Amino acid sequence: MDVNDEDSGARRGAGAFEPSKPPEQPRPPEHSRPSEKPRLPEPPLLPRQPGASEQSRPGERPYAPERAASSGAHVLPGPGAPGGPDEADASDEASDGGGALAAPRVGVAALSPRYQVGAAVALAVVAVAACVHLLMVFLSLAPANTVTKQHGKAVEDWVYPEFEQNWKLFAPNPLQQNIGVQVRAELRTNDGGVRTTGWTDLSAQDGAAIKGNPVPSHTQQNELRRAWDFFVATHTGDNRPVALRGALSEQYLRRIVVMRLYRDTPAAEGGVIQRVQVRSATTNVQPPEWSRERVSDKPVYRQLPWWSVTADEAAGGVR
């Protein structure tokens, strides 16, 4: 009996099964160390099904693509591997625009189609309004033409008074003077006497209200100034009206100063305004320090005659 047959107890004969010889071990490379043992090829591993757990089958090794590649077997890409099912699904989702790899939408593109349409309509309305406003301002400043002759009233209604423009800043000789409108009143006191107040600088009050105010009112900026310009344009240097609008400009300016005295000035307290007198104080704007130009810094006054206040104005009807 052969020593190798002790375990099985079988007798070897002529027709006995001879076990095949084990495969010849590969020779280690020449540069390997003498003590280093060569690695034996491992059997190829099948890819794990998606969703299977690590302990789904006893004795199953975890997926190792490097070992399968070293053995020369054809290995299918597993989940999470480059080109595998997970990556293909992710690329499909990204191409559909709903995957995590898709770039996030910002701005109007992030809105729903209904809100995108609303934003586009709002933008179009703002653009049209801006173009119309620029056209109206241009027509108000342009010389007389066919459009202004036919639609001049519509242009004026659009521009005046909020969007009024003028060329004083861009004239060859820009305005270099400060003009202040001042007023004083003659009061009938409660005891029957008559008292004359001092001069009140209404332009200085408007300037103080505008200074530091990011959104000053239109009346603070233009009401008194336009009233004075209206009066000067319709009167001569000796304060005589030159057109039919002269009387209208006097009434307009008078009602404004009476209203301001009753509303903003304590000088009218304790009496009723009988007459008012208006004057302007014109002061030259001083040139910069580096300029050799010298101008007078003394104010020049233009004093108007006394105007009687009508009954409704004297009773405070224009407050």
Side-chain angles (χ1 to χ4, degrees):
M1 180 179 295
D2 191 22
V3 178
N4 297 328
D5 299 335
E6 290 179 357
D7 295 337
S8 61
R11 184 181 299 272
R12 300 179 61 184
F17 173 74
E18 292 289 339
S20 61
K21 295 181 181 182
E24 185 178 357
Q25 302 295 335
R27 298 178 61 183
E30 296 180 358
H31 62 273
S32 62
R33 292 177 297 180
S35 59
E36 181 180 3
K37 294 182 180 181
R39 296 182 59 183
L40 298 178
E42 297 182 4
L45 300 177
L46 296 176
R48 189 178 62 229
Q49 296 297 330
S53 62
E54 295 290 340
Q55 304 297 332
S56 60
R57 289 183 294 178
E60 182 183 6
R61 297 184 186 181
Y63 175 73
E66 60 275 4
R67 290 203 304 269
S70 63
S71 64
H74 179 69
V75 181
L76 296 176
D86 292 348
E87 184 175 357
D89 296 341
S91 62
D92 293 340
E93 293 176 0
S95 63
D96 294 339
L101 299 180
R105 296 180 177 180
V106 295
V108 179
L111 301 175
S112 63
R114 181 177 61 181
Y115 289 103
Q116 289 182 4
V117 173
V121 172
L123 182 60
V125 171
V126 172
V128 171
C131 293
V132 171
H133 176 72
L134 293 177
L135 178 62
M136 291 295 186
V137 173
F138 171 77
L139 292 175
S140 68
L141 298 175
N145 52 71
T146 304
V147 178
T148 55
K149 290 179 181 179
Q150 295 181 357
H151 307 284
K153 186 64 170 60
V155 173
E156 292 180 358
D157 292 343
W158 181 282
V159 174
Y160 295 100
E162 286 80 6
F163 307 113
E164 178 191 3
Q165 306 290 326
N166 59 67
W167 294 103
K168 291 182 179 180
L169 179 62
F170 305 100
N173 186 20
L175 185 64
Q176 299 179 0
Q177 296 174 332
N178 289 325
I179 301 176
V181 179
Q182 303 174 356
V183 61
R184 65 177 179 177
E186 185 179 277
L187 305 177
R188 187 181 74 247
T189 60
N190 297 331
D191 56 1
V194 177
R195 179 171 64 90
T196 302
T197 66
W199 291 101
T200 300
D201 195 338
L202 302 180
S203 297
Q205 293 178 355
D206 289 342
I210 295 172
K211 186 177 181 180
N213 186 356
V215 285
S217 68
H218 174 70
T219 57
Q220 293 171 343
Q221 299 178 80
N222 298 319
E223 183 183 52
L224 183 63
R225 178 183 63 84
R226 290 297 308 277
W228 179 255
D229 291 343
F230 184 26
F231 177 84
V232 172
T234 56
H235 286 74
T236 62
D238 56 354
N239 304 320
R240 297 174 59 183
V242 294
L244 297 177
R245 303 179 68 186
L248 178 62
S249 65
E250 292 181 8
Q251 181 183 5
Y252 182 53
L253 181 60
R254 184 179 67 251
R255 291 174 68 88
I256 288 177
V257 297
V258 171
M259 177 184 63
R260 295 283 298 271
L261 287 174
Y262 274 117
R263 186 186 65 186
D264 304 330
T265 307
E269 295 180 358
V272 178
I273 299 177
Q274 298 293 306
R275 296 193 305 169
V276 293
Q277 187 178 27
V278 180
R279 74 176 184 182
S280 65
T282 304
T283 307
N284 294 320
V285 177
Q286 294 300 309
E289 298 179 356
W290 48 264
S291 176
R292 297 181 179 180
E293 184 181 1
R294 295 292 180 267
V295 295
S296 175
D297 58 352
K298 296 181 179 180
V300 177
Y301 296 98
R302 178 178 177 175
Q303 189 164 308
L304 307 185
W306 284 93
W307 290 334
S308 298
V309 179
T310 60
D312 60 338
E313 295 172 352
V318 296
R319 296 185 183 181

